[in-house]
Amino acid sequence: MTRIAVVLGATGLVGSALTEDLLNGEWAEVRVLVRRPMKLRHPGLKQVIIDWERLAEYKEQFAGASAVFCCLGTTIKKAGSQENFERVDLEYPLAAAALAKTYGVKQFLAVSSMGANIRSRAFYSRTKGKLENGLGAIGFQGLHLFRPSLLLGDREESRPGERVAAIVMKALDFAMVGKAAKYRAVPAAKVARAMMNIAQADTGGVHIYTNEVIHVIGKS
């Protein structure tokens, strides 16, 4: 079976690792919707430079796709405001999901976050909860939501706070057992591999993958 993947957020930490995994896997074509060109080159890679505010103009990129992988995400500091943060982490993913559904995409996989809850007092977690609820209402045959803890990996942009937190989490990894296991930092590459593994299983229904589960299913 010919598999076509669409990746949203392919220049990010998880998205870049996922794109490479898909290209080296069983996928015939990987379409990436990006704001700027990627340095990556591969015969199976199709780069589409888009304006997210005019996403509907690129709707044909979802045609024939077997799965859409959403790795979009930013920070409030980088976004500049809560409104802009919601645009990237909530509005764009939901708009893309609606287009994907229109074109008959059966599998939608998205990076959410540990603690995602529409009733959370924390803006970040509440926004991720809204995303999960919105995606669930669209009605994909298979919806897969990944809730990682702190992501490990080398980012293009500088995030000093996350870098310090990553160092601390790595040092304490040996102690993250029992109830504390759900807080273990997880390599972005492992989240990417988990998403690809689940997509290839082509499972129906709505599924949430907690941080502990990602550590297991994201193994090579």
Side-chain angles (χ1 to χ4, degrees):
M1 181 179 71
T2 300
R3 289 175 178 261
I4 297 175
V6 174
V7 181
L8 315 175
T11 58
L13 202 56
V14 175
S16 58
L18 173 62
T19 299
E20 291 195 30
D21 277 349
L22 293 170
L23 289 170
N24 293 323
E26 302 174 0
W27 299 76
E29 181 177 292
V30 179
R31 302 171 187 165
V32 296
L33 276 54
V34 290
R35 292 181 301 173
R36 61 183 187 278
M38 299 175 66
K39 296 179 181 179
L40 182 64
R41 295 292 181 269
H42 190 283
L45 178 65
K46 179 182 179 181
Q47 297 194 49
V48 183
I49 311 303
I50 72 166
D51 177 352
W52 281 100
E53 294 296 324
R54 301 161 61 186
L55 180 62
E57 295 181 12
Y58 311 90
K59 59 186 179 181
E60 68 277 2
Q61 299 303 326
F62 295 97
S66 308
V68 172
F69 300 83
C70 182
C71 305
L72 289 170
T74 187
T75 64
I76 293 181
K77 181 179 180 180
K78 185 176 180 180
S81 68
Q82 290 187 346
E83 180 181 1
N84 289 339
F85 176 86
E86 280 197 329
R87 184 174 292 114
V88 175
D89 278 57
L90 178 61
E91 294 176 15
Y92 292 164
L94 291 181
L99 290 174
K101 176 65 174 177
T102 298
Y103 275 88
V105 175
K106 295 181 179 179
Q107 299 284 327
F108 195 94
L109 304 92
V111 178
S112 181
S113 175
M114 184 176 69
N117 190 322
I118 198 169
R119 296 183 180 83
S120 175
R121 297 179 65 180
F123 173 76
Y124 181 85
S125 298
R126 190 167 63 251
T127 301
K128 293 300 184 182
K130 290 179 180 179
L131 173 63
E132 292 189 357
N133 282 17
L135 292 174
I138 291 176
F140 287 102
Q141 179 175 306
L143 174 62
H144 306 276
L145 304 168
F146 297 78
R147 293 180 175 178
S149 180
L150 178 68
L151 294 172
L152 299 176
D154 297 324
R155 297 183 184 274
E156 289 186 3
E157 76 273 21
S158 176
R159 295 187 183 181
E162 286 192 5
R163 188 163 59 247
V164 172
I167 293 173
V168 173
M169 291 291 275
K170 282 182 180 179
L172 294 176
D173 189 70
F174 73 94
M176 295 294 188
V177 295
K179 292 183 178 180
K182 65 181 179 180
Y183 299 107
R184 288 176 60 202
V186 57
K190 184 170 282 189
V191 179
R193 184 58 57 87
M195 295 179 79
M196 185 179 73
N197 288 344
I198 291 299
Q200 290 178 171
D202 202 25
T203 306
V206 179
H207 303 272
I208 293 176
Y209 305 92
T210 61
N211 194 57
E212 306 100 302
V213 173
I214 293 171
H215 272 280
V216 175
I217 63 176
K219 292 181 179 179
S220 300

